[in-house]
Amino acid sequence: MKSDRKVLLLTGAAGGIGRATAERFARDGFALALVDIDAEGLNVTASVIKQFTDACLLFPGDLQEPAFLETIVDNTLAQWGRIDVLVNNAAWRSLETLATLSLEHWEKTIRINLTAPAFLSRITAGRLIALHQSCVIINISSIMAELAGGYAPAYTVCKGAIESLTYELSVLYGPKGFRSVAIRPGNVHTPLNDDYNTETEQHAGTALISDVEQRTPLQRSATAHEMANAVCWLASEEASFITGTVLTIDGGLSKNFNAYSLKQQLKPNEF
């Protein structure tokens, strides 16, 4: 039986952009199917959204397992009979250059960041087409898709590829009523973006964030809730003709040539 309320299926829901997205959709009255390998963090997210909705399914598990992907979709449909929005947000990365990156870490990154979104989207679309339904698929990319850092090569490659996946999904499933969009965040205040350490285990996250913010015209990082608001709008009817594209949300970072500290040396009265 098809539920009266819309349904969000969200991966990487245990924190950061995922938790903020869960909260944003819960506020709008969605039922939520939340996925993450971090069961404890998933429970925290569930407690956060409890004040907004009691319609919530938790799927703690590993997106590297193909059978798990089918379980997520099938159990969500068994519960509510619909999926209106799929957000592929889960991510994993290691901090290594391509010169030292292990094959194991390369393949794990691809399985979680690219293979899982591709096949979760395929499974979801297939099940919904059989039910004469469709949904909006939103993929979370990164500014690193076009600005490589040099220290997370597999992650960078996956973010470029997930944008191409977004185009592919839009072309294949568009005639069936699906939309596929990606967002490309700049630096966002999340635990993932603050776990950088040097080879001697010295914390480097603060310095890296400061450097990025110095090159961002808005002179700050984004909040996870700002990303969640964009996802929610893209999933809405207000964005009904937006598909097969990427929305960059980086505070202007990708269009700026150098840090404002340098600009101030050149034009101290203007910057």
Side-chain angles (χ1 to χ4, degrees):
M1 182 177 178
K2 189 176 181 181
S3 170
D4 290 335
R5 69 171 74 190
K6 291 184 176 181
V7 176
L8 167 70
L9 173 52
L10 168 68
T11 69
I17 293 174
R19 181 174 294 164
T21 299
E23 181 180 342
R24 181 67 175 80
F25 277 82
R27 286 176 181 271
D28 282 0
F30 275 67
L32 279 72
L34 305 178
V35 185
D36 206 291
I37 198 169
D38 178 4
E40 183 177 347
L42 207 54
N43 286 329
V44 173
T45 298
S47 68
V48 168
I49 67 172
K50 190 174 182 180
Q51 59 184 308
F52 306 114
T53 181
D54 58 356
C56 180
L57 289 177
L58 301 183
F59 295 100
D62 190 347
L63 290 170
Q64 296 181 85
E65 301 296 331
F68 180 54
L69 303 181
E70 298 207 14
T71 296
I72 294 166
V73 177
D74 289 340
N75 287 2
T76 301
L77 290 173
Q79 180 73 18
W80 293 305
R82 62 192 293 173
I83 295 171
D84 298 271
V85 183
L86 166 61
V87 178
N88 289 306
N89 169 67
W92 186 87
R93 58 140 171 77
S94 60
L95 295 177
E96 304 162 272
T97 71
L98 190 59
T100 59
L101 179 66
S102 68
L103 180 60
E104 177 187 2
H105 282 178
W106 171 270
E107 292 183 339
K108 179 177 179 179
T109 309
I110 290 176
R111 285 195 300 269
I112 295 172
N113 294 13
L114 182 60
T115 304
F119 282 83
L120 186 57
S121 298
R122 185 178 84 168
I123 294 164
T124 300
R127 300 291 197 275
L128 291 179
I129 289 170
L131 295 172
H132 305 288
Q133 298 178 31
S134 62
C135 76
V136 181
I137 301 170
I138 300 178
N139 296 318
I140 309 302
S141 180
S142 166
I143 196 64
M144 292 182 77
E146 63 174 28
L147 294 176
Y151 45 75
Y155 178 87
T156 300
V157 167
C158 284
K159 290 308 182 182
I162 204 167
E163 295 185 4
S164 294
L165 173 65
T166 300
Y167 311 147
E168 185 70 20
L169 292 170
S170 71
V171 170
L172 177 61
Y173 295 118
K176 299 291 187 181
F178 291 76
R179 291 193 293 114
S180 174
V181 191
I183 68 166
R184 185 192 293 153
N187 195 66
V188 183
H189 282 301
T190 67
L192 183 67
N193 285 345
D194 194 37
D195 70 346
Y196 294 95
N197 291 316
T198 67
E199 291 184 357
T200 57
E201 295 302 315
Q202 298 296 310
H203 181 65
T206 302
L208 284 169
I209 291 169
S210 177
D211 175 70
V212 171
E213 290 181 342
Q214 257 291 307
R215 291 185 288 112
T216 301
L218 293 185
Q219 296 285 276
R220 66 176 178 87
S221 298
T223 68
H225 286 282
E226 287 175 310
M227 298 301 114
N229 288 338
V231 170
C232 193
W233 178 74
L234 286 169
S236 74
E237 284 302 308
E238 292 185 354
S240 58
F241 201 60
I242 300 176
T243 192
T245 193
V246 179
L247 175 62
T248 300
I249 314 172
D250 68 348
L253 171 63
S254 58
K255 304 306 178 186
N256 183 27
F257 184 68
N258 51 27
Y260 277 81
S261 57
L262 296 176
K263 300 180 198 300
Q264 288 160 1
Q265 292 180 39
L266 294 170
K267 297 289 183 179
N269 296 324
E270 297 178 45
F271 289 99

